[in-house]
Amino acid sequence: MTLSFTSGTWETGEVTTLQRIQLSTEADTDTITRVVTKKPWKVIVWDDPVTPMRVVEVIFKKIFGYPEPKCTQLMLTVHHEGKAVVWDGAQDRAIHYCTQLQAAGLMASVEEDK
Amino acid sequence: MALFKKKRDGSIAVHLNDNARAFVGEIFNQVVAAENDPNHEWHLSLNPPINPSANSDDPLATFARQKEMASNSELAQMTVNEETLSAGEAYAWMTSLNLALRATISIRNIADEVSLHNTDPETRQYIVTIQSLLFGLADCL
């Protein structure tokens, strides 16, 4: 280890412990920030011409536990607009909900929010 | 008489005759077969992409979906001759019938009301019959 005196401080020629801690803290902060700002994923249900509306409501209630009025409103959005975003959030949960909806016979997919 | 009736204890009475039970039993058998057999004509429509913009889906997610479909359709298959169903069993019936409905419209390219109207009478009757069963089940859930 070499020591030199510059501008009133001793430098070792290596990263000091304090600097290392600061670097580590910066890296952690950076990682956390990226997780928080990740784009949410959307679960989309698509309209089809045969599934009865009441069935769609029952499936929404069973899978998401939404109250009846919200299930009705989402079902009507699917019916009138051809699709509805029924949930958004973390990717793994979006995929889980999508597989549940597909297993119940609805046309569903996930999409990253752009 | 309604096809299904919710009783005071929460169970659901099934008022289907032997022919109707044979009809739904055949549908449940088809869903189970389609899930297990990649060559079944319904297989592809029961396994749509989860994330269409990705090259392929996570195998764990597709496995979870397969497991959910299989457990529902097998439960429906096992309870096809029951006089009463629990809410969970009725949900399994409903989802299995709905899968059959989706597979039917998918393989016949029925994408809207017009193509549904123009389909052959036999297919339309098949769809209407499944819809009647779905209406009855959904009203009890």
Side-chain angles (χ1 to χ4, degrees):
Chain A
M1 182 189 299
T2 55
L3 289 173
S4 60
F5 187 78
T6 317
S7 308
T9 55
W10 284 97
E11 292 183 353
T12 61
E14 295 176 358
V15 177
T16 62
T17 305
L18 179 60
Q19 283 173 321
R20 259 185 248 121
I21 290 169
Q22 283 171 337
L23 285 173
S24 167
T25 308
E26 279 166 21
D28 288 348
T29 308
D30 190 34
T31 305
I32 291 164
T33 305
R34 259 185 263 130
V35 170
V36 170
T37 56
K38 243 182 177 176
K39 297 283 186 192
W41 284 68
K42 298 183 290 190
V43 180
I44 301 166
V45 170
W46 303 85
D47 190 29
D48 73 62
V50 290
T51 306
M53 293 178 178
R54 179 73 190 129
V55 171
V56 178
E57 286 180 292
V58 170
I59 292 170
F60 286 165
K61 193 175 176 187
K62 170 87 175 173
I63 292 175
F64 299 107
Y66 292 152
E68 198 88 25
K70 182 165 183 175
C71 294
T72 305
Q73 179 227 320
L74 286 172
M75 176 277 293
L76 288 172
T77 306
V78 173
H79 184 67
H80 293 303
E81 295 176 21
K83 65 175 184 174
V85 175
V86 294
W87 190 87
D88 65 359
Q91 183 185 15
D92 52 349
R93 285 185 68 194
I95 288 173
H96 168 75
Y97 285 135
C98 183
T99 59
Q100 295 273 305
L101 291 162
Q102 289 182 343
L106 297 186
M107 293 206 291
S109 59
V110 297
E111 190 179 292
E112 191 172 13
D113 203 359
K114 301 266 165 113
Chain B
M1 185 187 283
L3 298 175
F4 303 95
K5 188 165 172 52
K6 191 168 189 175
K7 297 184 354 183
R8 291 174 72 180
D9 64 359
S11 63
I12 294 153
V14 182
H15 299 136
L16 299 181
N17 63 20
D18 289 347
N19 286 341
R21 282 183 193 271
F23 176 80
V24 293
E26 179 54 26
I27 288 174
F28 298 155
N29 293 343
Q30 289 292 326
V31 176
V32 171
E35 193 46 60
N36 293 322
D37 178 6
N39 296 318
H40 194 286
E41 64 173 351
W42 288 2
H43 186 81
L44 275 180
S45 59
L46 297 188
N47 293 279
I50 294 165
N51 178 6
S53 60
N55 289 333
S56 62
D57 284 320
D58 176 8
L60 285 177
T62 53
F63 176 68
R65 179 182 59 200
Q66 186 184 14
K67 202 173 145 198
E68 177 77 11
M69 277 187 202
S71 59
N72 279 338
S73 53
E74 284 167 14
L75 180 60
Q77 202 178 29
M78 281 190 290
T79 54
V80 72
N81 291 317
E82 296 294 331
E83 292 300 319
T84 57
L85 301 173
S86 67
E89 290 163 347
Y91 185 77
W93 277 46
M94 192 184 80
T95 55
S96 301
L97 289 167
N98 203 33
L99 283 170
L101 196 57
R102 182 152 64 80
T104 303
I105 63 163
S106 175
I107 60 172
R108 286 175 172 74
N109 292 321
I110 299 170
D112 51 33
E113 300 287 344
V114 177
S115 50
L116 176 62
H117 184 74
N118 291 335
T119 193
D120 63 277
E122 193 184 343
T123 302
R124 208 163 47 241
Q125 183 57 46
Y126 182 77
I127 288 170
V128 168
T129 307
I130 295 179
Q131 284 176 325
S132 308
L133 293 159
L134 287 172
F135 280 126
L137 284 164
D139 277 345
C140 297
L141 290 169

